[in-house]
Every structure is written in C-alpha cells, then in structure tokens.
Amino acid sequence: DTGVSQDPRHKITKRGQNVTFRCDPISEHNRLYWYRQTLGQGPEFLTYFQNEAQLEKSRLLSDRFSAERPKGSFSTLEIQRTEQGDSAMYLCASSLDDSLLPDTQYFGPGTRLTVL
Amino acid sequence: AQSVTQLGSHVSVSEGALVLLRCNYSSSVPPYLFWYVQYPNQGLQLLLKYTTGATLVKGINGFEAEFKKSETSFHLTKPSAHMSDAAEYFCAVSDYNQGGKLIFGQGTELSVKP
C-alpha cells in the first residue's frame, strides 16, 4: 500500500491554458474524491466517484472543470481556460466503502496550481 | 445541511501545555466526525474519528476528542504539546447520506512555543 499519489505536485500556468491533474488512489479503494483548498481555508468538496461512475458534482465545479475515472482506477481532473481564481491546492482522497459506516478518506499530497 | 465551525483560526501554546482546539458541528442526522492534521505543503492525515459507540475517541500522537451531542461539539485535546504538533488542524463532518463527502471547518493553526 503506497498511499494516494498525485501528479504533478506543482503546476504553474498562464491564464487561459488548460491543465490536467492525475490522482492514483489506494488500490482497491472504490471511492475517489476531489477537493479544492484555497489559502487559509478548509478543503471544499468538488466531486466524487464510486468506481467509474461520477455520482456527485459540487456547484463549485463550473463547466470548465471535468473529471474522469476510467476503469475505476486512477482519476484525472481537467481545468480548461484557467482563471486566476482557480489557483489553489487540489486534493484527492480515496476510501473503501463496503459498509453502512463511512470509511476513512486517505488524502494524497495535493497538486498546487498557480495561474499567472 | 451539515456544517462545521472551528473557533479560533490560530492557537498558540507553550511546549508541554494543554492543547485544546474547538469544533462545533451542525447536522440533522447523527454525525460522523473527523479531525485531520495538515503539515505545510502536505496532504491531510487522519488523527481520529467518531462514528458510533464510545464518545471519547483516542487518536494518533496522543490526541483525543470527545463527542458531546448536547453541546454539538467535538473538541480536540492533547495533555502536553510538542514542537512537532505545530500544524493546521481541520475538523470535518461526513455527509454519509450523500456519498460520504467531508465538510470541513476553516481550520485552526496551532503554534507551539519553546
């Protein structure tokens, strides 16, 4: 078990460019979550997957954001036409949901996005 | 809707002193509560969680928290602070009726003075 990994760790881009982040969850975890954290704030939920199905998207996730989890393994988060307001830490978490109680979410190290 | 409020965005204690970080929640269903710690430029690490059963929950690194339904609180404590405890601490409630997403408080930055 190598934990949740995210790539890249840091991304600097110019306004208007597209960026894509990758998250590799703990193997066999069936749930995968994306959160966004801005400076001085707690993480905010963006979206989550149960296996390959995207089951919920926050209203924070504008049309410029898209997430996928093909084959229910790794996930990608793409931001099109980036804006300076997109600058944040993007966190990925995974959990194994096989009971009535919520399992612990294990977080990756995050991808810090800076939009110039 | 569920929500979490952390009282005090910054707490400073001396090494060896008691650590008390406050968290109050709002939930229309029995809450599942979590405390996470975040070190600079790192992801979040689970300290402890409350789901059901014993209301006093012990976690890693000597931390514990007590679920008090009557006060809608889940405060985090540690009897004696270490320099290594300096970090950002987040309280969260799980929206388990909707996929288990976590709703976080704004965080409390803990500083430990020598």
Side-chain angles (χ1 to χ4, degrees):
Chain A
D1 182 355
T2 57
V4 178
S5 61
Q6 293 185 244
D7 183 70
R9 293 290 307 275
H10 303 274
K11 179 70 177 179
I12 300 174
T13 191
K14 294 182 179 179
R15 185 164 50 93
Q17 298 294 306
N18 299 343
V19 294
T20 300
F21 310 141
R22 177 180 171 122
C23 171
D24 286 90
I26 293 172
S27 58
E28 298 182 359
H29 275 191
N30 54 359
R31 283 195 173 175
L32 187 148
Y33 302 81
W34 285 98
Y35 294 86
R36 181 171 67 186
Q37 183 180 22
T38 53
L39 201 62
Q41 300 296 317
E44 295 176 294
F45 169 77
L46 292 178
T47 188
Y48 92 96
F49 294 83
Q50 175 92 14
N51 299 311
E52 67 276 7
Q54 186 175 18
L55 297 185
E56 185 179 352
K57 294 195 296 184
S58 163
R59 56 185 170 78
L60 293 176
L61 217 62
S62 75
D63 291 344
R64 297 184 296 105
F65 288 71
S66 62
E68 294 181 342
R69 193 184 182 196
K71 303 178 182 178
S73 55
F74 71 92
S75 175
T76 58
L77 178 67
E78 181 183 16
I79 309 174
Q80 297 183 326
R81 305 181 303 282
T82 53
E83 301 173 356
Q84 289 186 324
D86 297 331
S87 296
M89 175 78 88
Y90 290 85
L91 295 165
C92 175
S94 70
S95 70
L96 179 63
D97 176 60
D98 62 357
S99 69
L100 295 176
L101 296 176
D103 193 39
T104 299
Q105 291 185 29
Y106 295 88
F107 282 79
T111 295
R112 181 168 295 284
L113 172 66
T114 302
V115 182
L116 302 176
Chain B
Q2 294 172 303
S3 65
V4 171
T5 301
Q6 290 184 240
L7 301 176
S9 59
H10 188 93
V11 171
S12 182
V13 300
S14 298
E15 191 173 19
L18 171 71
V19 175
L20 171 60
L21 304 182
R22 300 178 186 273
C23 172
N24 288 88
Y25 68 90
S26 173
S27 177
S28 58
V29 297
Y32 295 152
L33 297 160
F34 303 78
W35 275 99
Y36 282 84
V37 61
Q38 186 177 34
Y39 297 99
N41 298 314
Q42 295 187 25
L44 280 71
Q45 179 184 8
L46 180 71
L47 280 176
L48 49 80
K49 64 181 180 182
Y50 168 79
T51 53
T52 60
T55 56
L56 182 62
V57 181
K58 295 187 184 297
I60 62 172
N61 301 338
F63 285 94
E64 62 183 35
E66 186 171 11
F67 169 62
K68 291 187 177 181
K69 182 178 179 181
S70 61
E71 299 178 8
T72 61
S73 68
F74 191 56
H75 302 331
L76 182 70
T77 60
K78 181 174 180 178
S80 176
H82 294 164
M83 296 296 292
S84 61
D85 294 327
E88 188 90 20
Y89 291 79
F90 293 97
C91 181
V93 62
S94 171
D95 190 353
Y96 60 91
N97 283 334
Q98 295 194 24
K101 67 184 179 187
L102 293 173
I103 299 163
F104 287 88
Q106 291 189 306
T108 297
E109 183 181 359
L110 176 65
S111 300
V112 182
K113 298 175 291 185

